[in-house]
Each structure stands twice: as structure tokens, then as C-alpha cells.
Amino acid sequence: MKTLIVCTSVSHGNTRRIADAMGQVLDARVLDPDQVDVGGLFTYDLVGFGSGIFSMNFHPRLRQFVRSLPRGERRGAFVFSSSGLPEPGFRPYTRGLVRLLEDKGFQVADTFACRGYDTWPPFKLVGGINKTRPDADDLHAARAFAEGLLTRTRTGS
Ligand SMILES: Cc1cc2nc3c(=O)[nH]c(=O)nc-3n(C[C@H](O)[C@H](O)[C@H](O)COP(=O)(O)O)c2cc1C
């Protein structure tokens, strides 16, 4: 299965570490949106899209990249993020990115989220939160998520 991971990780490299763990399992390159050849994107069977969460949304560069994609034939996709806090029920930003991808013809197989070291200004005052995250358990969970994607693709479920 030919897989690519598109990742914007600007704050502490938290999401990039998650992407690299998934990339090892999926044998996938991890690229910043600026490095992706949009025309070639549709040669992949599966594309992952991830970033940190900023002001309750995926990074604007990742969202802009997805918005700029032409509508293509149906391809597999997955979405992942790292954030200081869990996604609030009143602001389902993962669902928003999934919908955007679906509008572009992607079929989103699954989503993954974990905590990351967070120095958002209010938390910076106390030295940040989640200082050790993503940790070994988070990376293990990211690899297990990627294994699940592989299994699902093999069994067609
Ligand atoms: C300016 C700023 C805004 C942020 N906004 C949020 C937010 O709305 N919700 C949240 O849970 N975390 C927020 N965070 C924390 C980041 O999502 C978290 O640190 C993430 O792991 C960063 O990923 P990265 O290192 O891959 O860029 C914010 C961090 C910064 C610096």
C-alpha cells in the first residue's frame, strides 16, 4: 500500500514524532505540505493528514493545503493531531477536517489524537503542560493505530 503522511508540526515537533512513528509502520514518507507535489498525491493509496491544534483547529497551513487540493477519485486517508487538551465537544475540529477531506473525495478510515507538550501562552506562564508528551505510550499508540490501518486495508474492512 503506497502511503504518504502530510504533517505540519511547528511548535515543538510533537506531531512530527507521532507522524514518524506511524510512518515507520506504514513505510511512508512524512512531508510538510510545502514539500508535497499535489499532482502526485493521487498516486497514493492512503494519505495521512496531521498537525498540532492551534486556537481549536488544525494548523492553518494544513487546512489551506487540503482546501487547495482538486477533487479526486476516492482515496484512503487518515487524520491525526497532537494538542494540549482533549478536543472539546463544542468544537469538533477533527470532524471539520474529515469533512473537508471527504469533500475532496477522500475516504477517511480513522482518526488519532494524543496530548503534546503545550506552551500556549496561558500555560507558558507555568512552564507549559504535558512536558513529557508525546511519550513512549503515545508513540506506541500511534504505531498500533498504524498497524490497525494496515490490517483494515488488508482485510478490506
Ligand atoms: C499559539 C498556540 C495555540 C494553541 N492552541 C491550542 C488549542 O486551541 N487547543 C489545544 O488543545 N492545544 C493548543 N495548543 C497546543 C498545541 O496544540 C500542542 O502543543 C501541539 O502538540 C503542538 O504540536 P506541534 O509541536 O506538532 O506543532 C496551542 C499551542 C500554541 C503555541
Side-chain angles (χ1 to χ4, degrees):
M1 181 173 58
K2 198 176 166 198
T3 305
L4 177 71
I5 300 179
V6 184
C7 176
T8 304
S9 182
V10 298
S11 195
H12 297 286
N14 297 334
T15 324
R16 176 69 196 223
R17 291 176 62 205
I18 296 296
D20 286 342
M22 291 177 179
Q24 282 165 14
V25 174
L26 296 166
D27 193 20
R29 288 180 76 193
V30 179
L31 297 179
D32 186 88
D34 295 346
Q35 300 172 297
V36 176
D37 164 23
V38 171
L41 199 66
F42 293 96
T43 66
Y44 289 90
D45 306 303
L46 181 69
V47 185
F49 297 88
S51 79
I53 299 301
F54 297 89
S55 302
M56 294 194 199
N57 214 334
F58 283 80
H59 193 279
R61 259 179 29 220
L62 185 74
R63 287 185 287 130
Q64 182 47 41
F65 175 74
V66 174
R67 274 197 293 267
S68 75
L69 296 177
R71 256 195 79 84
E73 41 179 291
R74 240 166 153 63
R75 298 271 159 203
F78 63 95
V79 166
F80 61 100
S81 65
S82 72
S83 60
L85 302 170
E87 181 171 310
F90 64 86
R91 186 66 190 266
Y93 46 73
T94 303
R95 185 75 210 128
L97 186 61
V98 167
R99 287 223 172 100
L100 197 53
L101 286 164
E102 287 172 348
D103 286 348
K104 297 294 181 177
F106 286 95
Q107 187 162 17
V108 179
D110 209 351
T111 65
F112 176 91
C114 77
R115 299 294 70 77
Y117 176 41
D118 179 1
T119 50
W120 195 11
F123 300 127
K124 206 173 182 174
L125 295 172
V126 291
I129 57 169
N130 313 324
K131 286 183 188 159
T132 60
R133 312 260 320 252
D135 59 16
D137 287 346
D138 295 316
L139 298 179
H140 177 79
R143 282 191 286 270
F145 172 85
E147 295 281 4
L149 290 172
L150 280 181
T151 306
R152 210 167 306 167
T153 311
R154 282 191 198 117
T155 59
S157 59

